[in-house]
Every structure is written in structure tokens, then in C-alpha cells.
Amino acid sequence: MCEIYDAHEDVISRVKERMVDEDQYSELAEFFKIFGNPTRLKILSLLAVEDLCVCDICDTLNLNQTTVSNQLRILRANNIVKYQKEGKMARYSLTDLHIEMIYKIGLEHILE
């Protein structure tokens, strides 16, 4: 806490220039909420290793197909994962490297 209040206008001006608009902060907050569910994080951890079908995710995490499908639907709706149809099967993957990096950096942070 400052002992005397003396705003530094040059500093305030510099940091204000780098702020994004309110809508972007709201979007970012919603994006980070997606990572606030342990089941979704487990799914992301698997997909960071390899693309998988729903059955493989279910068996690996010992979860039923409804649970996994619901979480994948949320992840797809938020552009976190994508899928590719292979016949009757769908193989899920992370949408891009950014998602993997967010997961890995978060994990690295809590393991420090």
C-alpha cells in the first residue's frame, strides 16, 4: 500500500493503452471458466497427448459416455476441441497448440 497517494500519470497512461475493451475481458473470463471443471481438464490432458475417440476417453477416465459426451459438447461449443469423423467413429483433438499450452502452463504453475 502506498503511504502517500501520488498517481503516476505516465504509468497509468501506458497501461491504459494496453487494456482491451470490456467485451474482450468478458469473453476471456468465459473462456477461462471452461478450464474450471476437473473432468474437462482431464479430457484436455488426454487430448494433449493424443487424439482420441469417446470410447477411449471413457475407458481411460472410467466415466460413462453421457458424461464424456456432455463435456466434449461444451468444449466443442467453446472451440477448445474439434472432431473428425472416421466412418461411424469421431476422433477428438485440441483445436490448436494454444489450448495445449494453456493447459500445460497452468499445470506447471500449480506444480511449482
Side-chain angles (χ1 to χ4, degrees):
M1 178 115 175
C2 296
E3 291 186 21
I4 60 168
Y5 185 84
D6 184 21
H8 300 91
E9 295 300 324
D10 57 330
V11 174
I12 293 168
S13 178
R14 277 197 311 273
V15 296
K16 276 189 170 184
E17 287 176 9
R18 303 196 115 208
M19 292 179 69
V20 297
D21 65 43
E22 287 299 317
D23 289 342
Q24 290 170 320
Y25 284 118
S26 294
E27 276 185 56
L28 189 57
E30 288 300 315
F31 175 75
F32 280 118
K33 282 182 188 178
I34 302 305
F35 293 86
N37 177 285
T39 301
R40 287 194 288 266
L41 287 173
K42 289 175 187 177
I43 292 170
L44 294 178
S45 74
L46 299 179
L47 296 177
V49 175
E50 188 169 333
D51 299 353
L52 298 167
C53 69
V54 174
C55 297
D56 292 338
I57 296 169
C58 291
D59 286 352
T60 304
L61 299 178
N62 197 29
L63 295 171
N64 65 52
Q65 187 170 349
T66 302
T67 300
V68 171
S69 293
N70 285 336
Q71 297 305 323
L72 285 168
R73 180 183 47 77
I74 292 167
L75 292 168
R76 268 193 345 261
N78 288 279
N79 200 32
I80 307 288
V81 301
K82 60 185 178 182
Y83 71 96
Q84 184 172 354
K85 290 288 258 183
E86 295 177 1
K88 292 184 178 185
M89 184 181 71
R91 187 167 295 281
Y92 285 85
S93 61
L94 301 178
T95 53
D96 59 39
L97 185 59
H98 295 117
I99 303 303
E100 182 178 349
M101 290 171 55
I102 291 166
Y103 167 75
K104 287 183 175 179
I105 288 170
L107 182 60
E108 189 177 301
H109 177 73
I110 64 155
L111 294 175
E112 284 183 347

